[in-house]
Amino acid sequence: MRLSVFVAVYLSGLHAEAFPGKRLFGKLKDEIQQKTSRGKKHASKSAESCDSCENSQQPDGDYPPGALPLLKAATEAFTEAFGTTPTLAAQAPGRVNLIGEHTDYTGGFVLPLALEKRTVVVFTGGVVDSNAGECAVVSVGMEGGPVTFDAKPEALAPGDPFWANYVKGVVKQYSADLPPGKKFAFKAAFASDVPLGAGLSSSAALEVATATMLEQLHPPGGSSVSKETKALRCQAAEHEFCGMPCGIMDQFISALGEQGKLLQIDCRSNKGTAVTMGAGDAVILVTNSNVKHTLSGSEYPTRVAQCKAATQAIAKLHPEVTQLRDATPVMLEGSAKSAMDDETYRRARHVIYENLRVVSAVEALERGKFEAVGRAMLASHTSLRDDFEVSCLELDTLVDLASGFEGVYGARMTGGGFGGCIVTLVKAASAPGLIAHLEEKYKKATGLNADSFITRPGVGAGPLKPL
């Protein structure tokens, strides 16, 4: 097969709809499976569909769940493209957000977990004089040859093709660490099984994998950059090079995820608190609607602007409010309400109550009170549908189908919206039946397939042992 540039449209949820080319990686999983099925005993089976709870991916020796097949595919791609063997490797996971949607860019609370799906990069390179060397990136899954660019800090800028901006943006952030007259030069090959356009943060996985690569290249042997700083740099890259005013959640959980734990993130202080699910039989099921509604590209920035407008209206009466996260229901329903149009009011109502739902869900989750968590999830979906208006018919259909199934605690859309996935908290014994139920009923209702996988909270980004 011919190799191509990986970094193209690794965009999550709403992001994937704002730019062209979002379907270019539709066959990526098939390409990886083809590369890793040639008599290789350890290739993990895909978690894109589950027949039982045991279908959650399993660790493979020294590697996180699902990483080894991707590592093999990326290594083969690297060798084919560059005629040599990579010497280093890294990975970064996607994420699913259990609750706390569209609160991160208002300084609020979110509760994501790192997925057992990830982006893997294999590479060679280092830091060179500014007049020597360049960067070359290839991937499994696209047609075309290596794409090259000069990583000289003053030369790095957004441009065409758009996908390169994700990598360039991260390189720009890390170039500030280099001595004057120096730049990065590397060859890299990527592979990923994070679904595109599904609201599972494929863009953050790409950014954080790139950052983890650069941290190994300078200084040699590893970087002293904190995980929090890594996440902030990747967020800045997306803001500055991709024009997407995203919050910190996606990059934060990809960088700081812990095996077996969710992470409650305070998006104002950029601090995370590990959250363990209490004793019980609940598992997390992610279901992809396989819908990616085309957007104008303004939906996300518009909602960011509306939240800012609501904050300003409330702050005029309550100066202690510096972000929407500070506002209370009483403040919103008072005189401030008359200072907003109805749409802005409803956007603010979602954010204010969503923050309260996150706090209550964390407390309930730690005590194993899954019924309470489920009620908060369902209320979150209703608010996202009616107040924030980022759901769609297909997501609503999946949530309705899941909510009415025996053993389900709660379900909601997850990600930016307008397509993508739902997340369901369900009894482990009920999960196989729920998967079959969603596949059958969703297909009948929409004519589309519903791809589900069970996931556990996975590890965050880090180096991998190359093959």
Side-chain angles (χ1 to χ4, degrees), residues 18 50 60 79 117 130 132 157 199 237-238 243 248 289 339 430:
C50 293
D60 201 330
T79 302
K117 291 180 178 290
S130 60
E238 190 153 340
I248 191 58
S289 69
S430 299

Side-chain angles (χ1 to χ4, degrees), residues 135-149:
C135 300
V137 187
V138 300
S139 176
V140 176
M142 283 180 62
E143 294 297 322
V147 163
T148 61
F149 62 91

Side-chain angles (χ1 to χ4, degrees), residues 9 13 15 22 48 80 121 131 147 151 158 165 182 196 198 217 316 320 351 375 410 427 442 456:
V9 284
H15 307 179
K22 58 184 179 293
E48 286 297 317
E80 185 174 336
V121 56
N131 60 353
V147 163
N165 293 337
K182 299 292 184 178
L196 295 171
L217 295 179
K316 287 181 179 179
E320 67 272 26
V351 172
R375 288 193 294 271
K427 292 180 179 179
Y442 183 69
R456 298 165 295 189

